[in-house]
Amino acid sequence: MSSLLIESARTTLLDVPLIRPHKVAVTTITHQSFVIVRIRTADGIEGIGEAVVPGGPWWGGESIEGVKNLIDGYLAPLLTGRDASRVEQLARLLDRTFAGARFAKAAVEMALWDARGKALGVPLYELLGGLSRDAIPVTWALGAEPADVVIEEIEHRLDTGAHQSFKVKMGGADPADDVRRITTVAKTLAHRTSLRVDLNGTWDELAATRWLPELQDAGIEMIEQPVPAWNTAAMARLAQKLTIPLMADESLLTPQDAARLAQEGAADVFAVKVAKSGGLSAVQRITTIAETAGIPCHGGTTIESSIGTAASVHLFCAAPGISAGSELFGPLLLADDLVENPITYTDGELRPPRAPGLGVSLDEAKMAKYTRN
């Protein structure tokens, strides 16, 4: 294998508009910001990675500007001169040296995996154990918009065959009004599709106990993170009350979180995301814990471009435990992409690229167009 000693790691900060505003519980996203990491090795191989936070620090506590500064000032100097092929070793070195910083670490580790795959001439999924599935279904997510707007968008996606399952954001309105909105959507579309909802931890246990049964009765198929991340005891009590699955997202960051949630019975499904857990290696460990406990995993998104989406779909199609579909709709929500060969979707499913590494290549013209001045 060629020499994979790291010569440099540089970053670029970009802003890409969305095709429409995406309204969540506490903000409305009109563009997505990315930090693109390029790791250059001694023999000229370049591995690329992507850091992305979903619409700012409201969700994960990290800003995209802070991520860039962390990589430039701390993570990159630590990696320079080390062997990029030792991905797991370097990921654990970053964890020992720097607390938190999961979004930044995920981007750096992604670039290391890309470099290693390119050096070996194999797609990333081969380095992650090989394919467990050829493709993964993709759920389309909608913001906390009025019922008629949500219905129109879902019907359009169903008519075009683009997606078969849908998730709607909640938590930005009074619970009674929010439930009425979702019930209207569910009843209107009951003959065509089923829905899941995501509250992003905005309700307290009292509200969740009062209103989640009504969502269940309306035909909602899954509830994601109804209460704050810290309140896993409430999650466990709610999971016992509901007959539909309860999915943990914000409560699940680390493999240790996965072990605790499984032990407490606090979720029926785990939402795993490369960015929130600090990299693909950590997500692999989470899925192994979940599979051991009999808990299926759902492949989540932080609204990545084709770069981060490629990394995720490699992992999500390789890991046996990610059996509850995915939500890798990020590139479809972007008005443009950052690669020459964007990820393609077929009949509501996504397949991993077959080229070495991540299987995508940067479009330098797009990089220049969207780089923040």
Side-chain angles (χ1 to χ4, degrees), residues 236-264:
R237 288 188 287 269
L238 292 167
Q240 288 296 316
K241 289 183 174 72
L242 298 173
T243 59
I244 58 174
L246 188 69
M247 184 159 71
D249 183 8
E250 285 88 341
S251 293
L252 174 63
L253 302 179
T254 67
Q256 292 76 23
D257 291 336
R260 186 180 69 257
L261 289 167
Q263 186 176 33
E264 294 176 357

Side-chain angles (χ1 to χ4, degrees), residues 316-359:
F316 295 170
C317 285
I322 302 183
S323 56
S326 82
E327 196 181 311
L328 294 176
F329 69 97
L332 299 175
L333 193 60
L334 298 176
D336 206 348
D337 216 318
L338 301 173
V339 299
E340 295 177 340
N341 47 339
I343 288 284
T344 56
Y345 297 77
T346 304
D347 298 327
E349 293 188 329
L350 187 58
R351 296 173 182 269
R354 299 304 172 104
L358 298 183

Side-chain angles (χ1 to χ4, degrees), residues 120-322:
L120 293 171
V122 298
L124 176 56
Y125 60 75
E126 294 289 4
L127 304 179
L128 301 175
L131 291 176
S132 294
R133 58 191 62 83
D134 293 323
I136 193 164
V138 178
T139 293
W140 178 255
L142 299 97
E145 305 292 347
D148 58 337
V149 175
V150 172
I151 292 167
E152 181 181 2
E153 185 169 334
I154 291 176
E155 287 181 333
H156 170 71
R157 297 233 157 229
L158 286 169
D159 290 342
T160 60
H163 296 276
Q164 303 303 316
S165 62
F166 302 88
K167 184 179 86 173
V168 184
K169 291 287 187 179
M170 296 182 68
D174 175 79
D177 295 335
D178 228 2
V179 169
R180 278 193 290 271
R181 176 178 69 95
I182 295 299
T183 299
T184 298
V185 175
K187 289 182 176 179
T188 302
L189 298 171
H191 64 294
R192 300 196 64 185
T193 189
S194 57
L195 300 175
R196 56 192 63 175
V197 297
D198 182 7
L199 283 131
N200 288 123
T202 52
W203 284 359
D204 59 25
E205 185 177 1
L206 182 63
T209 301
R210 165 66 179 85
W211 293 108
L212 291 186
E214 294 209 12
L215 292 174
Q216 178 176 273
D217 292 344
I220 298 303
E221 68 173 5
M222 186 160 63
I223 309 291
E224 183 175 347
Q225 197 68 47
V227 296
W230 60 268
N231 201 351
T232 57
M235 290 278 286
R237 288 188 287 269
L238 292 167
Q240 288 296 316
K241 289 183 174 72
L242 298 173
T243 59
I244 58 174
L246 188 69
M247 184 159 71
D249 183 8
E250 285 88 341
S251 293
L252 174 63
L253 302 179
T254 67
Q256 292 76 23
D257 291 336
R260 186 180 69 257
L261 289 167
Q263 186 176 33
E264 294 176 357
D268 304 294
V269 183
F270 285 172
V272 294
K273 299 175 182 177
V274 173
K276 75 169 179 176
S277 293
L280 289 93
S281 301
V283 174
Q284 276 191 309
R285 294 194 289 275
I286 289 170
T287 62
T288 300
I289 293 167
E291 191 176 13
T292 302
I295 299 172
C297 290
H298 171 79
T301 183
T302 44
I303 313 181
E304 300 91 348
S305 77
S306 282
I307 300 166
T309 302
S312 292
V313 75
H314 279 290
L315 174 60
F316 295 170
C317 285
I322 302 183

